[in-house]
Amino acid sequence: MSIRRQSSTRALFLVAVVASALVAGGCSSDKSTGAAASSTAAVASGTSATVTTPAGPAAVTVEVKDMKFSPADVTIKAGDTVTWKFDDSRPHDVQGVGDTSLGINSPIIHKGEWSHTFTTAGTYRYICSLHPDMKGTVTVQ
Ligand SMILES: [Cu+2]
């Protein structure tokens, strides 16, 4: 008698496990539907971003060579990045001159690159602090 009662209890337990598994299955399929919906939304917003990015930020390169910046004067748009490419027999740097150019300070570089992104319109003057005759300007529109 007691054995039979035990087995029927076990059967009930199994039914409960299967039922909960089905509920869990239904639950997870709901979740995946939700994920699919949100990824569709992400794709849609990505598409609209692509449409509005034809004029992305530009990159301008200034060569630091033969004791000069070339081109010495560059004009960019706000948000653009200027990269100075150092390739000379002597090391140089890029150091801002005047209030508007505060924060433009590269390390002294012999060979390599240094970049600065200009976010605010204005005229930024700079020199090489080791050779103050080396001058340049970045005009940000
Ligand atoms: Cu220099």
Side-chain angles (χ1 to χ4, degrees), residues 83-101:
T83 297
W84 284 267
K85 203 170 161 188
F86 296 79
D87 185 17
D88 204 355
S89 54
R90 301 196 218 180
H92 303 287
D93 68 4
V94 174
Q95 189 166 77
V97 177
D99 289 345
T100 55
S101 300

Side-chain angles (χ1 to χ4, degrees), residues 2-121:
S2 64
I3 294 169
R4 200 176 281 172
R5 195 183 281 171
Q6 229 176 12
S7 68
S8 70
T9 309
R10 195 174 284 172
L12 273 175
F13 176 72
L14 273 173
V15 168
V17 167
V18 170
S20 68
L22 282 173
V23 169
C27 228
S28 69
S29 79
D30 277 355
K31 268 181 200 164
S32 67
T33 307
S38 66
S39 71
T40 306
V43 168
S45 67
T47 306
S48 67
T50 310
V51 170
T52 48
T53 33
V60 176
T61 301
V62 175
E63 293 208 340
V64 188
K65 202 173 182 179
D66 300 329
M67 298 293 289
K68 63 185 181 196
F69 298 107
S70 117
D73 303 318
V74 295
T75 301
I76 60 173
K77 288 183 177 134
D80 289 354
T81 298
V82 177
T83 297
W84 284 267
K85 203 170 161 188
F86 296 79
D87 185 17
D88 204 355
S89 54
R90 301 196 218 180
H92 303 287
D93 68 4
V94 174
Q95 189 166 77
V97 177
D99 289 345
T100 55
S101 300
L102 282 175
I104 302 174
N105 286 301
S106 82
I108 295 170
I109 299 173
H110 193 181
K111 307 273 182 188
E113 292 182 357
W114 183 76
S115 296
H116 185 84
T117 301
F118 294 80
T119 53
T120 308

